[in-house]
Every structure is written in structure tokens, then in C-alpha cells.
Amino acid sequence: MINALGLLEVRGLATAIEAADAMLKSANVRLLRQWRTDPGMISLVVEGDLAACRAALDAGAAAALQLGEVVSRCEIGRPDPDTETLVDAMLRPPETAVAPAAGLDEAAVLARIAAEPGGMSLVDLQTVFPFVGLNRGWLQAQCRAGTLQRRRGRYFRAGGKP
């Protein structure tokens, strides 16, 4: 159950980062999601109690106005269950099937990740496997499938120790 929601829509990436930073530092709220709604417009959604959401939105809007433009803001206290369902559906990332890139030897990539005790970042993997189109989408699909785990920006074989 969501206690309260705060929604802030700003124009510009730097403005959104500054606003999110101010929101999270100013009150006890949790950033549920951010997404680009239109080229250049980014929406930020936070959750917390009503007073914390209001304080976070005030701080985020003030920070955003220093760099760019606030398009809109909204606080919703104790959302109705139907509204909560709607928000949950909107915030859920779309499920997309990511096909492996042409020329990608999945077994070799997974074996290489398993061989590294400290895991591997996407950049590490792209250095080892250049020109095969290895991308973050494929790695995230492997995490959803339970083959890999991601910790602190590094990928590990599922069940392996960091």
C-alpha cells in the first residue's frame, strides 16, 4: 500500500537529476521511477508519507527552477486502490524480449563472467567481446531469467560469490 505519491515533471536531464537529488536529500522519500515522457521532459515519482512527499516536491521544484523548467507537480495522499493499481501499472517497466545480438556466443560470455571472481561490467564485457553487439538489454534479460545477478554495476553468474 502506498502512503503518498509525489510526481514532478521537469524539462531537461540535468534539471531532472538536480531535482531528484534535492528530493531524496530533503525528505524521507523513495524514488519509485523516472522516465522520459517526451523528448526533453522527464517525470520523477517518489513515495513516502504525505508531509515528506510535499517537502520533497518543494525542494525538487526549487532546485529544478534554478536550472530549467518545472512542467507540473502533484501530491496524492493515500491513493485509492484503483489509483494505486493504475500507478503500479504505469511504473512497471515494459517487458521486452531482447534477442541476442548476431554473432554473440552466449555460452562464452557466461563462461567469461563466471571466471571473474569480481564480476564484470558491461564495459569489461564489451572490451573482451568487441564487435558482437553485446548490450545491457541482453544482460538484463539474463538477470530476469536468473542466469546472472547484478551487483553495483557488475554482472556475476547466478549463485556465484562476489
Side-chain angles (χ1 to χ4, degrees), residues 97-125:
V98 179
L104 178 64
D105 183 1
E106 295 181 33
V109 172
L110 295 173
R112 180 73 167 117
I113 291 171
E116 287 292 328
M120 296 184 78
S121 69
L122 175 59
V123 173
D124 295 338
L125 287 165

Short mmCIF file of all heavy atoms in Angstrom, two decimals, residues 97-125:
data_model
loop_
_atom_site.label_atom_id
_atom_site.label_comp_id
_atom_site.label_asym_id
_atom_site.label_seq_id
_atom_site.Cartn_x
_atom_site.Cartn_y
_atom_site.Cartn_z
N ALA A 97 11.29 -8.60 -24.94
CA ALA A 97 12.20 -9.72 -25.18
C ALA A 97 13.39 -9.19 -25.95
O ALA A 97 13.25 -8.54 -26.98
CB ALA A 97 11.49 -10.80 -25.98
N VAL A 98 14.57 -9.45 -25.43
CA VAL A 98 15.79 -8.98 -26.07
C VAL A 98 16.46 -10.17 -26.73
O VAL A 98 16.87 -11.11 -26.06
CB VAL A 98 16.74 -8.33 -25.05
CG1 VAL A 98 18.00 -7.86 -25.72
CG2 VAL A 98 16.05 -7.17 -24.35
N ALA A 99 16.53 -10.13 -28.02
CA ALA A 99 17.18 -11.21 -28.75
C ALA A 99 18.70 -11.02 -28.66
O ALA A 99 19.19 -9.90 -28.64
CB ALA A 99 16.75 -11.17 -30.21
N PRO A 100 19.41 -12.13 -28.56
CA PRO A 100 20.87 -11.99 -28.54
C PRO A 100 21.36 -11.39 -29.85
O PRO A 100 20.78 -11.63 -30.91
CB PRO A 100 21.38 -13.41 -28.35
CG PRO A 100 20.23 -14.30 -28.65
CD PRO A 100 18.98 -13.51 -28.49
N ALA A 101 22.38 -10.61 -29.76
CA ALA A 101 22.94 -9.97 -30.94
C ALA A 101 23.54 -11.01 -31.87
O ALA A 101 23.99 -12.07 -31.44
CB ALA A 101 24.00 -8.96 -30.53
N ALA A 102 23.54 -10.70 -33.14
CA ALA A 102 24.12 -11.61 -34.12
C ALA A 102 25.60 -11.78 -33.82
O ALA A 102 26.32 -10.82 -33.56
CB ALA A 102 23.92 -11.05 -35.53
N GLY A 103 26.07 -13.00 -33.84
CA GLY A 103 27.49 -13.27 -33.61
C GLY A 103 27.85 -13.37 -32.14
O GLY A 103 29.01 -13.57 -31.80
N LEU A 104 26.86 -13.24 -31.24
CA LEU A 104 27.13 -13.31 -29.81
C LEU A 104 27.12 -14.76 -29.36
O LEU A 104 26.13 -15.46 -29.50
CB LEU A 104 26.07 -12.51 -29.02
CG LEU A 104 26.19 -12.53 -27.51
CD1 LEU A 104 27.49 -11.88 -27.08
CD2 LEU A 104 25.02 -11.81 -26.89
N ASP A 105 28.25 -15.22 -28.83
CA ASP A 105 28.36 -16.57 -28.29
C ASP A 105 27.98 -16.50 -26.81
O ASP A 105 28.81 -16.17 -25.96
CB ASP A 105 29.78 -17.10 -28.48
CG ASP A 105 29.96 -18.53 -28.00
OD1 ASP A 105 28.97 -19.13 -27.53
OD2 ASP A 105 31.08 -19.04 -28.10
N GLU A 106 26.70 -16.77 -26.53
CA GLU A 106 26.19 -16.62 -25.17
C GLU A 106 26.97 -17.46 -24.17
O GLU A 106 27.28 -17.00 -23.07
CB GLU A 106 24.70 -16.99 -25.12
CG GLU A 106 23.83 -16.05 -25.91
CD GLU A 106 22.36 -16.44 -25.82
OE1 GLU A 106 21.94 -16.95 -24.77
OE2 GLU A 106 21.65 -16.21 -26.80
N ALA A 107 27.27 -18.70 -24.53
CA ALA A 107 27.99 -19.59 -23.62
C ALA A 107 29.36 -19.03 -23.27
O ALA A 107 29.80 -19.10 -22.11
CB ALA A 107 28.11 -20.98 -24.23
N ALA A 108 30.04 -18.45 -24.25
CA ALA A 108 31.37 -17.88 -24.00
C ALA A 108 31.27 -16.67 -23.08
O ALA A 108 32.11 -16.49 -22.18
CB ALA A 108 32.03 -17.48 -25.31
N VAL A 109 30.26 -15.84 -23.26
CA VAL A 109 30.08 -14.66 -22.41
C VAL A 109 29.79 -15.10 -20.98
O VAL A 109 30.40 -14.60 -20.02
CB VAL A 109 28.94 -13.76 -22.94
CG1 VAL A 109 28.64 -12.64 -21.96
CG2 VAL A 109 29.31 -13.18 -24.30
N LEU A 110 28.88 -16.06 -20.81
CA LEU A 110 28.54 -16.53 -19.47
C LEU A 110 29.73 -17.21 -18.79
O LEU A 110 29.95 -17.05 -17.59
CB LEU A 110 27.33 -17.47 -19.53
CG LEU A 110 26.02 -16.80 -20.01
CD1 LEU A 110 24.93 -17.84 -20.20
CD2 LEU A 110 25.58 -15.72 -19.05
N ALA A 111 30.51 -17.96 -19.57
CA ALA A 111 31.70 -18.61 -19.01
C ALA A 111 32.73 -17.57 -18.57
O ALA A 111 33.36 -17.72 -17.52
CB ALA A 111 32.31 -19.56 -20.03
N ARG A 112 32.90 -16.52 -19.35
CA ARG A 112 33.87 -15.46 -19.01
C ARG A 112 33.44 -14.74 -17.74
O ARG A 112 34.26 -14.42 -16.88
CB ARG A 112 33.98 -14.48 -20.18
CG ARG A 112 34.95 -13.36 -19.94
CD ARG A 112 36.39 -13.87 -20.00
NE ARG A 112 37.28 -12.75 -20.08
CZ ARG A 112 38.18 -12.46 -19.15
NH1 ARG A 112 38.33 -13.23 -18.11
NH2 ARG A 112 38.93 -11.40 -19.28
N ILE A 113 32.13 -14.47 -17.61
CA ILE A 113 31.62 -13.82 -16.39
C ILE A 113 31.86 -14.72 -15.18
O ILE A 113 32.28 -14.26 -14.13
CB ILE A 113 30.13 -13.47 -16.55
CG1 ILE A 113 29.95 -12.37 -17.60
CG2 ILE A 113 29.52 -13.03 -15.22
CD1 ILE A 113 28.52 -12.09 -17.98
N ALA A 114 31.59 -16.02 -15.34
CA ALA A 114 31.77 -16.96 -14.24
C ALA A 114 33.23 -17.07 -13.83
O ALA A 114 33.54 -17.31 -12.66
CB ALA A 114 31.23 -18.34 -14.64
N ALA A 115 34.15 -16.86 -14.76
CA ALA A 115 35.59 -16.99 -14.47
C ALA A 115 36.13 -15.80 -13.69
O ALA A 115 37.20 -15.90 -13.09
CB ALA A 115 36.37 -17.14 -15.78
N GLU A 116 35.42 -14.69 -13.68
CA GLU A 116 35.88 -13.50 -12.97
C GLU A 116 35.28 -13.45 -11.57
O GLU A 116 34.07 -13.26 -11.43
CB GLU A 116 35.48 -12.22 -13.73
CG GLU A 116 36.26 -11.99 -14.98
CD GLU A 116 37.72 -11.67 -14.72
OE1 GLU A 116 38.03 -11.04 -13.69
OE2 GLU A 116 38.55 -12.06 -15.54
N PRO A 117 36.08 -13.61 -10.52
CA PRO A 117 35.52 -13.60 -9.17
C PRO A 117 34.89 -12.26 -8.78
O PRO A 117 33.97 -12.22 -7.99
CB PRO A 117 36.72 -13.92 -8.27
CG PRO A 117 37.92 -13.92 -9.12
CD PRO A 117 37.51 -13.85 -10.55
N GLY A 118 35.38 -11.17 -9.34
CA GLY A 118 34.83 -9.85 -9.04
C GLY A 118 33.74 -9.42 -9.98
O GLY A 118 33.30 -8.27 -9.96
N GLY A 119 33.27 -10.33 -10.84
CA GLY A 119 32.25 -9.98 -11.81
C GLY A 119 32.81 -9.12 -12.92
O GLY A 119 34.00 -8.78 -12.93
N MET A 120 31.95 -8.75 -13.85
CA MET A 120 32.37 -7.92 -14.98
C MET A 120 31.32 -6.86 -15.25
O MET A 120 30.12 -7.13 -15.17
CB MET A 120 32.57 -8.78 -16.23
CG MET A 120 33.69 -9.80 -16.10
SD MET A 120 33.97 -10.70 -17.63
CE MET A 120 34.89 -9.48 -18.56
N SER A 121 31.77 -5.67 -15.60
CA SER A 121 30.85 -4.61 -16.00
C SER A 121 30.56 -4.76 -17.49
O SER A 121 31.22 -5.52 -18.20
CB SER A 121 31.47 -3.24 -15.72
OG SER A 121 32.55 -3.00 -16.60
N LEU A 122 29.59 -4.00 -17.97
CA LEU A 122 29.26 -4.02 -19.40
C LEU A 122 30.47 -3.58 -20.22
O LEU A 122 30.77 -4.18 -21.25
CB LEU A 122 28.07 -3.12 -19.68
CG LEU A 122 27.68 -2.96 -21.15
CD1 LEU A 122 27.33 -4.29 -21.78
CD2 LEU A 122 26.55 -1.98 -21.31
N VAL A 123 31.18 -2.58 -19.75
CA VAL A 123 32.36 -2.09 -20.48
C VAL A 123 33.43 -3.19 -20.54
O VAL A 123 34.06 -3.39 -21.58
CB VAL A 123 32.91 -0.80 -19.84
CG1 VAL A 123 34.22 -0.38 -20.48
CG2 VAL A 123 31.89 0.31 -19.94
N ASP A 124 33.65 -3.89 -19.41
CA ASP A 124 34.60 -5.00 -19.41
C ASP A 124 34.22 -6.04 -20.46
O ASP A 124 35.06 -6.52 -21.22
CB ASP A 124 34.65 -5.69 -18.03
CG ASP A 124 35.17 -4.80 -16.93
OD1 ASP A 124 35.88 -3.82 -17.24
OD2 ASP A 124 34.85 -5.09 -15.75
N LEU A 125 32.94 -6.38 -20.49
CA LEU A 125 32.48 -7.40 -21.44
C LEU A 125 32.62 -6.92 -22.88
O LEU A 125 33.00 -7.69 -23.76
CB LEU A 125 31.02 -7.77 -21.14
CG LEU A 125 30.82 -8.61 -19.88
CD1 LEU A 125 29.37 -8.63 -19.48
CD2 LEU A 125 31.34 -10.02 -20.11
#
